[in-house]
Amino acid sequence: MVTHHSTGQPGLGDLDGAPVRLTFISPQGTRQTVLSRLGAERRRTTPPPLTAHDVLLGGSVRAVRLSGAADGADEEGPRKLEAEIRAALCLHRAFHGSPYQSLFPSLVGYDMDAEEPFVLYQAPRGDAAAQLGYGISTTEQRTIERDLVLAVRLLEGLGLVHRGLVPAAVRWDGKRAQIWDLGAVARVGSRRVPLGVPPYAAPEQRHGVGRADARDALWSVAQIVYQLATGQQGDPEGPPRDLAAYRSLERPLGDAFAPLAEDRPAPAEVLALLMPGPDPAALVEARPDPLEPHRQDYDRAMERKRRDAGLGPYGYGHGVETPAAGASRASVPPQETRGRRRAWFGGHAGGRDARGQ
């Protein structure tokens, strides 16, 4: 790969800088090299060391990269990025080409062997729900409500739960919702860790009690829709006091405000009220995965590699259990073994970041 070496100058790699050659792995497992320009850093709802940037790659692309990876100071960073890539690949393989793919970020490619590893997505659609003002129509509210519950149910069907659903992580283009920040996705049944902010994170999740449950994300959906409908935040510990005044909310989502996951309805039950008909996730669960044998081989190879190197397994965040080798549908396909890691958009190993702010 041809690299553009960092000089440490401000603005290096921004939209006005010289294009560089960027190599990455496509969702189909093929290696691609294209001309690209690094753009401005964008806000993410999940904390560092993962940061987001705009990228021009023939069209507008959103990149999530692991900043400061060269010094190896944050061992948790690679785990978080690999967890995000696994989730993105799982969603791509399950829903690409289906009516549900627009609910999630569209994966372009990734590289975990770069000096600052990254993942690329098609640019987000519309605006963040956090920017929507009070007074959206009942039709818009119901559509956002339906799409978010559908996304939660589809993730549950893949054995995943999004632990970071907040208004800033939800996009709305006037027709469909789209959820972002897949770095907050975890395995259903993994140990909860203290994560999230009130009122959007369920009480059990904020306190790190018990096991991750798809109904954790249902609590988040209820809180987001309540805020969109009323213009105010809900109660971080239970149902809002004025819930009965909003009948369009109370009917499908009223029980989703229960403090304990076991007292909330299953996502499939709420979805049946919003979108009657066959359960979409059940159809996905029944579909065979032709790539599963290759994924299992990769997982076993990665486990051997990390064991030989004395490294712990990349999981789904600090303190969260990692599925056994071959158990996850979201495994990352194999990459070539290379010597020197490549720099993020041409930066030197150990050099300063070119954030293009």
Side-chain angles (χ1 to χ4, degrees), residues 260-320:
L260 299 178
E262 63 188 29
D263 296 328
R264 300 174 204 137
E269 296 176 35
V270 180
L271 184 61
L273 297 174
L274 295 167
M275 196 173 78
D279 180 7
L283 299 177
V284 172
E285 291 168 346
R287 191 169 60 191
D289 183 2
L291 297 179
E292 186 60 29
H294 304 289
R295 235 183 318 280
Q296 292 180 12
D297 290 342
Y298 169 73
D299 285 342
R300 286 190 287 267
M302 287 299 292
E303 289 298 328
R304 289 193 299 270
K305 179 179 178 181
R306 291 166 187 148
R307 186 169 56 249
D308 293 343
L311 301 175
Y314 285 174
Y316 285 82
H318 177 69
V320 180

Side-chain angles (χ1 to χ4, degrees), residues 53 96 111:
H53 290 259
H96 182 69
D111 190 351

Side-chain angles (χ1 to χ4, degrees), residues 34-333:
V34 296
L35 286 176
S36 62
R37 292 176 184 266
L38 178 64
E41 186 169 335
R42 295 297 181 179
R43 181 174 181 270
R44 256 173 78 90
T45 61
T46 51
L50 302 186
T51 60
H53 290 259
D54 284 336
V55 177
L56 289 181
L57 204 71
S60 183
V61 172
R62 180 64 50 87
V64 175
R65 68 164 177 164
L66 176 59
S67 60
D71 57 12
D74 187 354
E75 184 179 326
E76 199 66 24
R79 293 176 180 162
K80 292 177 180 178
L81 184 60
E82 184 170 339
E84 176 154 350
I85 293 172
R86 286 176 181 269
L89 281 165
C90 184
L91 291 168
H92 177 87
R93 288 164 177 156
F95 305 123
H96 182 69
S98 79
Y100 310 124
Q101 68 175 12
S102 63
L103 294 170
F104 306 102
S106 181
L107 181 63
V108 173
Y110 62 92
D111 190 351
M112 281 296 294
D113 285 337
E115 177 60 33
E116 290 184 325
F118 61 90
V119 57
L120 304 172
Y121 301 106
Q122 292 291 343
R125 299 194 331 270
D127 299 315
Q131 300 176 15
L132 298 178
Y134 167 64
I136 64 172
S137 69
T138 302
T139 300
E140 290 176 312
Q141 173 193 316
R142 189 64 87 195
T143 301
I144 295 173
E145 189 176 47
R146 178 206 66 199
D147 284 356
L148 294 183
V149 174
L150 175 59
V152 168
R153 174 63 185 122
L154 291 172
L155 283 167
E156 181 188 28
L158 297 174
L160 303 173
V161 55
H162 198 306
R163 303 172 298 168
L165 288 179
V166 296
V170 175
R171 312 288 297 199
W172 171 248
D173 64 1
K175 296 181 179 179
R176 296 297 302 271
Q178 186 182 50
I179 64 171
W180 276 76
D181 291 345
L182 299 181
V185 169
R187 299 296 303 181
V188 170
S190 60
R191 289 195 306 271
R192 289 192 184 101
V193 294
L195 183 69
V197 296
Y200 310 110
E204 294 164 298
Q205 180 178 299
R206 295 200 315 270
H207 301 310
V209 177
R211 301 275 172 172
D213 192 300
R215 292 171 291 185
D216 298 348
L218 198 60
W219 163 285
S220 303
V221 169
Q223 293 287 352
I224 292 170
V225 176
Y226 174 81
Q227 182 170 330
L228 292 177
T230 68
Q232 60 187 6
Q233 292 186 340
D235 189 325
E237 303 299 334
R241 295 180 180 179
D242 60 349
L243 181 60
Y246 298 93
R247 298 185 62 183
S248 62
L249 265 172
E250 187 181 30
R251 170 64 176 127
L253 287 174
D255 292 337
F257 291 99
L260 299 178
E262 63 188 29
D263 296 328
R264 300 174 204 137
E269 296 176 35
V270 180
L271 184 61
L273 297 174
L274 295 167
M275 196 173 78
D279 180 7
L283 299 177
V284 172
E285 291 168 346
R287 191 169 60 191
D289 183 2
L291 297 179
E292 186 60 29
H294 304 289
R295 235 183 318 280
Q296 292 180 12
D297 290 342
Y298 169 73
D299 285 342
R300 286 190 287 267
M302 287 299 292
E303 289 298 328
R304 289 193 299 270
K305 179 179 178 181
R306 291 166 187 148
R307 186 169 56 249
D308 293 343
L311 301 175
Y314 285 174
Y316 285 82
H318 177 69
V320 180
E321 292 178 341
T322 306
S328 170
R329 286 171 53 90
S331 303
V332 183

